Amino acid sequence: MTIDWKQYNPGDFYDELISTPGHPRAPARRLVSYLGSLTADEMEARRITAEATIQEMGVSFTVYTDEGNIDRCWPFDIVPRVIDKKLWDVAAAGLKQRLQALNLFIDDLYHEQKIVRDKVLPRHILDESQNFRPECVGFSPPCGVWAHICGTDLIRDRDGRFYVLEDNLRVPSGVSYMLENRAITKRVLPEMFDSYRILPVDDYPDKLYDTLAAISPRHQREPVMAVLTPGIFNSAYFEHAFLAQQLGAELVEGSDLLVGENDCVYMRTIDGLEQVDVIYRRIDDLFLDPEVFRRDSVLGVPGLMRAWKAGNVALANAPGAGVADDKVVYAFVPDIIKYYLDQDPILENVQTYLCDDPKQREHVLKNIDSLVIKPANESGGYGMLIGPHATEKERREFAARIRKNPRNYIAQPTISLSTAPTVTDRGKVEPRHLDLRPFVLQGLDLEVTTGGLTRVAMCKGSLVVNSSQGGGSKDTWIVDRKGD
Amino acid sequence: MLSRVAERIYWTARYLERAENTARLVNVYSKMLLDLPGGVDIGWYNLVTLNSAEQLFGQKFKRRDERNVIRFLLADPDFSGSVLTSLKMIRENIRTTRDALPAEAWEQANESTLFATSRLDEGLRRGDRYEYLDGIIRCCQQLSGLLDTTMRRDAGWEFFRLGRNLERADMTSRLLDAGASMLQEHPGREEPLNLVQIVCGNVLRSASAYQPYRRVIKGPVRSRLVVRFLLEDELFPRSVAHCIDQMIDAAGALPRQRRVLKLLKCERKQIFAELDEEKLEHDLRDYLNSLQLQLADFHRAFSHNWFALEQPGDT
């Protein structure tokens, strides 16, 4: 028995591989027919290979449970997602444009705040921002860049176009899984790499290295770099260790670092104290430095902000970069692009209503049963209301919260995430929803990953792609069909 | 190598020795009990004193009897020398240095902890205790052997050796102390003549030193010779001299070792120069006590030199 593609029906969602039952999209044609030629046993064998590879490579993430923390194996689906290079090139240009504008925006907010004076961004939105750090005002980071590493979540709506769902400018994670997914797929579907020109993804660590090296305060040949992790109990610890290893950087915890009286940062090594030039920090602003932010933070390094402001160490992302990672600011990104770059945005936002605006608020309150309401500053899908799935009581409660604190809420139409064939049972595939997180880098240059991390909601009909909540992932192929 | 990683490897080794040697220590006492003639009372509480844990013990138990002492030494969660605590610390240290250690070490550490926890009741019962303790010693040796045969001989390995030999020297001195304290409690002409024999034989056996002693000394078991063997025999891996030589060797392979090396070499001479017949006869317990303090000084020197750096220029 083989996959019967005629039985595969994505309904009225945009499917990444299949346009209508039995008809694959052009870039996916070879993949679909190849998978169709495999028997159920052969499909199952591939899946087992993938599982074994994941265990061998030790790809894991941490789940918190009552019995302590467990390393779970990374859930992976063997059917790749295929995107045509021509389409991707446009999206990539849009991602670069977006990050460039966001960095100009952040830099402006910590200096003259022209965008506020010119009334493009209302003053009170800035005043009430939870991620604006007054401690950073007046500082000019190297290259003028605040957000060096950005994870932008893209979705495809029913029309098949890419839309930006959110910009993660604080400590976005997932890039290591993107790299591992490719390594797994090379073992599971090696034949496909002959019949397609699949663009490689593994230059990311080198590009990340260049980005970080560009902001080093000491211009020596090989700057000393460290990846600062909250430690083994963090769910992304695997990634921190992975990236440190790929960068040739030390994986450090706060207690490994100290700031000297000369305002330089050192790490404690058996060779003595070694000065650190660049810290790729994977802990939040508020935990960075107990002298400046949360006093009870044991994850951070006392004096780190002092050293950063003195220009003796570079932090990526810079403290305060999160001011642009706010769902209200998100709604203004198209204006921000226009304002700083004088360009039209290449990538569109998902339509967003600001509860802060009286007219839009009225619309939201009236249509709460069909909208998704999100708090402005939460990440990971916390504190959301999905209108169509909520009870009357929940809706009433949310409406009250919106009236009480309108600046804190935005609303978006329920989005129909695209789908792709996903193995659900022995040799069977069904459509599952997915999104895409490319990673954008800005140092001296702007770079985008080739594709990104595709996250899949493994449960039927689910829109939740987070790995901690049963989400999985797929390899993402950007294929060059020129001359095919 | 980061100081933190080095320190955790060092402590992995220390706790590994500690778990094994606490098991050995309890073993000596349990066996002596079997060998001693009826009516000779055995001071279980000595084991607490030997570990300098009187205060902690006092907070937890009133009666200083066998049952409480054994429970304390095998399973007390707050006593850092208890078998269970040591095994848990090994597990935590390996867990947080997995990049620097062979992958199998983690599995082995898990298995050891599981064994020690799930069969604890056997260790508390006099009848099954020997097998339990033997099992613990085996677990430790398995992990130790695994690391021995698979760890790369880099700085991490040298820190492992430092920790292992420091703790081992310390525990050998405590084993001797255990014997000495037993003899002290029964200073006696009225006691059966073979008491010295019994105590010394068990001290040797608990350090796996009985046969090597026999081969080297080629004579009867005499307390003075036993002490000298466990302190001075350069070729026996659990002797204090051998342990210090190993530390000198390991430190020599590490960066910025000058001061530590000087201290180790200087004190090695001192330790054995002081060891005369008079000391062996009358002040053995004082001598062992100062030896333990000296070993604690070594630890402080390691820590100061490699682990706890505070300011630039603080090298």
Side-chain angles (χ1 to χ4, degrees):
Chain A
M1 224 186 56
T2 57
I3 299 171
D4 183 2
W5 287 111
K6 290 201 181 77
Q7 296 300 312
Y8 179 90
N9 186 2
D12 69 341
F13 297 104
Y14 181 90
D15 192 87
E16 301 281 335
L17 301 191
I18 305 291
S19 56
T20 51
H23 295 92
R25 295 187 189 280
R29 212 164 280 152
R30 276 180 218 157
L31 173 68
V32 167
S33 83
Y34 181 75
L35 293 176
S37 74
L38 299 177
T39 64
D41 283 349
E42 284 168 326
M43 278 291 278
E44 182 64 6
R46 307 286 171 124
R47 198 189 60 75
I48 289 167
T49 306
E51 221 164 69
T53 309
I54 289 165
Q55 267 172 9
E56 237 171 77
M57 299 197 308
V59 189
S60 64
F61 67 102
T62 310
V63 187
Y64 309 97
T65 68
D66 295 339
E67 293 94 55
N69 303 296
I70 317 165
D71 280 344
R72 282 251 180 95
C73 278
W74 179 243
F76 172 81
D77 180 67
I78 59 168
V79 183
R81 168 196 211 165
V82 185
I83 300 170
D84 191 283
K85 179 175 182 296
K86 272 196 259 165
L87 182 72
W88 178 248
D89 286 344
V90 177
L95 290 165
K96 290 182 187 174
Q97 177 196 49
R98 204 168 163 101
L99 184 59
Q100 194 185 8
L102 285 171
N103 271 310
L104 289 167
F105 170 67
I106 302 167
D107 202 53
D108 183 26
L109 291 188
Y110 290 115
H111 291 94
E112 296 168 60
Q113 304 189 342
K114 283 187 249 167
I115 195 166
V116 179
R117 268 190 287 154
D118 290 341
K119 300 199 163 45
V120 177
L121 184 82
R123 151 86 39 206
H124 72 278
I125 285 182
L126 180 60
D127 289 345
E128 289 157 29
S129 165
Q130 286 178 24
N131 295 319
F132 183 79
R133 306 264 170 263
E135 298 85 354
C136 300
V137 168
F139 183 74
S140 298
C143 307
V145 175
W146 293 73
H148 311 88
I149 301 131
C150 170
T152 305
D153 289 345
L154 298 179
I155 55 149
R156 292 176 96 167
D157 205 349
R158 286 193 172 84
D159 56 10
R161 293 175 63 184
F162 281 113
Y163 292 86
V164 177
L165 188 60
E166 59 184 50
D167 307 284
N168 296 286
L169 298 172
R170 286 176 271 185
V171 283
S173 61
V175 76
S176 58
Y177 301 115
M178 172 191 87
L179 298 170
E180 297 284 32
N181 285 354
R182 176 59 53 88
I184 299 163
T185 307
K186 280 181 181 164
R187 291 211 208 170
V188 175
L189 295 169
E191 311 85 346
M192 289 286 97
F193 288 79
D194 285 336
S195 56
Y196 270 115
R197 270 196 300 283
I198 303 164
L199 302 187
V201 292
D202 34 25
D203 56 351
Y204 179 79
D206 291 340
K207 286 179 175 163
L208 178 61
Y209 181 92
D210 290 341
T211 304
L212 296 175
I215 58 172
S216 168
R218 285 193 297 177
H219 291 284
Q220 49 191 29
R221 259 235 311 276
E222 282 168 10
V224 179
M225 290 183 193
V227 176
L228 176 58
T229 173
I232 190 117
F233 299 110
N234 188 271
S235 57
Y237 183 79
F238 168 83
E239 172 154 308
H240 305 161
F242 178 92
L243 288 175
Q245 190 222 345
Q246 296 278 315
L247 287 168
E250 281 293 352
L251 178 65
V252 301
E253 295 173 17
S255 59
D256 294 321
L257 301 179
L258 65 93
V259 179
E261 279 154 16
N262 57 0
D263 287 352
C264 290
V265 181
Y266 296 89
M267 64 184 167
R268 297 180 170 94
T269 80
I270 58 168
D271 297 296
L273 294 175
E274 187 175 3
Q275 191 179 339
V276 181
D277 300 301
V278 184
I279 299 175
Y280 178 17
R281 50 100 173 197
R282 296 293 298 254
I283 63 180
D284 275 331
D285 278 3
L286 295 181
F287 294 93
L288 271 183
D289 181 352
E291 281 182 13
V292 178
F293 303 119
R294 284 180 62 154
R295 280 169 201 286
D296 59 341
S297 168
V298 289
L299 302 177
V301 186
L304 189 56
M305 285 295 285
R306 236 186 312 129
W308 177 68
K309 281 185 169 172
N312 292 331
V313 72
L315 295 175
N317 290 346
V323 67
D325 182 345
D326 171 319
K327 295 198 172 60
V328 176
V329 170
Y330 161 86
F332 286 91
V333 173
D335 302 322
I336 288 170
I337 293 171
K338 191 99 187 124
Y339 182 79
Y340 292 103
L341 301 178
D342 193 25
Q343 294 170 5
D344 289 324
I346 301 169
L347 281 170
E348 282 178 55
N349 272 4
V350 171
Q351 184 172 19
T352 302
Y353 303 99
L354 296 176
C355 298
D356 192 46
D357 178 280
K359 261 195 204 147
Q360 297 182 42
R361 181 165 63 239
E362 272 324 297
H363 176 86
V364 171
L365 291 171
K366 222 180 273 167
N367 297 286
I368 197 161
D369 54 347
S370 65
L371 295 170
V372 178
I373 318 287
K374 296 178 180 176
N377 285 300
E378 293 284 353
S379 63
Y382 292 102
M384 271 174 39
L385 176 92
I386 300 176
H389 300 170
T391 63
E392 191 53 44
K393 186 164 169 262
E394 284 168 335
R395 287 185 207 140
R396 269 205 309 276
E397 278 170 13
F398 245 82
R401 272 189 241 170
I402 292 170
R403 284 200 189 87
K404 197 173 164 213
N405 189 0
R407 159 68 175 86
N408 203 31
Y409 292 96
I410 59 140
Q412 291 168 339
T414 338
I415 314 148
S416 39
L417 300 185
S418 59
T419 59
T422 303
V423 177
T424 53
D425 205 351
R426 195 183 173 79
K428 270 193 192 146
V429 293
E430 280 181 25
R432 290 290 181 268
H433 291 292
L434 33 79
D435 76 352
L436 179 63
R437 176 176 286 185
F439 294 83
V440 197
L441 297 173
Q442 186 174 0
L444 282 176
D445 306 307
L446 278 154
E447 301 279 358
V448 184
T449 48
T450 314
L453 175 67
T454 290
R455 300 187 296 176
V456 194
M458 298 296 249
C459 299
K460 190 170 192 161
S462 167
L463 298 173
V464 184
V465 294
N466 297 54
S467 55
S468 49
Q469 298 176 49
S473 75
K474 283 171 172 288
D475 192 14
T476 311
W477 291 357
I478 306 300
V479 297
D480 186 357
R481 296 194 302 135
K482 209 161 49 195
D484 276 11
Chain B
M1 170 175 271
L2 284 177
S3 299
R4 169 175 51 88
V5 175
E7 191 175 10
R8 285 180 186 169
I9 294 176
Y10 168 85
W11 276 108
T12 301
R14 288 200 63 170
Y15 278 114
L16 190 53
E17 272 313 304
R18 198 173 283 184
E20 180 181 336
N21 282 301
T22 300
R24 285 175 183 272
L25 206 56
V26 176
N27 232 351
V28 199
Y29 257 63
S30 303
K31 278 188 188 163
M32 277 196 276
L33 185 78
L34 299 178
D35 285 343
L36 287 174
V40 177
D41 189 29
I42 179 167
W44 281 100
Y45 188 67
N46 276 340
L47 287 176
V48 176
T49 322
L50 289 176
N51 279 293
S52 323
E54 299 93 326
Q55 212 189 341
L56 186 64
F57 185 87
Q59 288 166 12
K60 306 224 159 192
F61 302 102
K62 273 208 184 102
R63 292 168 52 121
R64 300 171 170 188
D65 60 0
E66 175 180 353
R67 196 176 152 273
N68 286 347
V69 170
I70 295 291
R71 183 169 275 284
F72 183 73
L73 290 175
L74 293 188
D76 193 274
D78 299 315
F79 172 45
S80 71
S82 81
V83 170
L84 283 194
T85 306
S86 299
L87 288 174
K88 278 184 185 144
M89 294 305 288
I90 293 167
R91 196 170 166 273
E92 263 327 283
N93 279 299
I94 291 184
R95 179 178 160 83
T96 47
T97 40
R98 270 202 272 178
D99 292 347
L101 294 174
E104 301 88 344
W106 170 240
E107 282 169 39
Q108 181 61 44
N110 278 328
E111 279 172 33
S112 305
T113 317
L114 191 67
F115 171 85
T117 324
S118 64
R119 298 178 57 175
L120 179 62
D121 283 348
E122 293 171 36
L124 298 175
R125 279 199 298 271
R126 203 185 265 183
D128 301 320
R129 190 176 302 147
Y130 173 74
E131 259 184 64
Y132 178 77
L133 293 172
D134 201 44
I136 297 286
I137 294 169
R138 261 173 226 275
C139 282
C140 293
Q141 288 184 333
Q142 252 174 40
L143 182 50
S144 207
L146 173 78
L147 293 169
D148 239 27
T149 48
T150 53
M151 255 178 101
R152 193 164 169 266
R153 266 43 179 174
D154 55 10
W157 169 250
E158 304 304 344
F159 281 106
F160 187 82
R161 278 169 82 204
L162 276 185
R164 162 192 279 177
N165 286 287
L166 183 81
E167 191 72 24
R168 191 177 282 173
D170 184 69
M171 291 307 274
T172 295
S173 81
R174 287 178 205 269
L175 275 179
L176 282 172
D177 209 3
S181 71
M182 177 82 81
L183 289 175
Q184 208 174 38
E185 267 188 26
H186 306 280
R189 292 180 195 108
E190 303 109 75
E191 298 297 335
L193 271 175
N194 59 354
L195 182 61
V196 173
Q197 209 77 31
I198 290 167
V199 171
C200 289
N202 274 308
V203 166
L204 280 175
R205 266 187 285 268
S206 69
S208 305
Y210 192 76
Q211 279 177 344
Y213 173 89
R214 285 290 197 190
R215 271 206 308 278
V216 175
I217 305 295
K218 298 197 175 75
V221 171
R222 292 193 202 288
S223 63
R224 231 173 297 165
L225 293 176
V226 168
V227 174
R228 277 209 182 273
F229 183 79
L230 285 180
L231 290 177
E232 289 181 332
D233 187 85
E234 288 175 5
L235 299 183
F236 182 64
R238 313 194 76 81
S239 81
V240 172
H242 183 86
C243 291
I244 297 178
D245 288 342
Q246 287 290 308
M247 284 191 263
I248 290 172
D249 198 51
L254 287 169
R256 301 182 311 118
Q257 81 294 54
R258 218 167 41 87
R259 253 190 274 174
V260 169
L261 210 49
K262 204 173 142 200
L263 173 76
L264 286 170
K265 283 181 176 166
C266 177
E267 291 304 325
R268 188 199 189 286
K269 270 195 209 125
Q270 199 61 30
I271 286 167
F272 296 108
E274 279 174 10
L275 191 63
D276 53 24
E277 294 304 304
E278 174 68 16
K279 278 237 164 66
L280 281 181
E281 194 67 39
H282 301 295
D283 303 328
L284 181 61
R285 298 201 66 194
D286 283 346
Y287 175 82
L288 292 172
N289 191 40
S290 66
L291 173 61
Q292 283 157 22
L293 292 175
Q294 186 53 58
L295 293 170
D297 255 5
F298 290 169
H299 166 72
R300 272 190 289 278
F302 300 158
S303 175
H304 180 75
N305 199 58
W306 288 300
F307 306 150
L309 313 172
E310 283 313 326
Q311 278 297 317
D314 189 25
T315 52

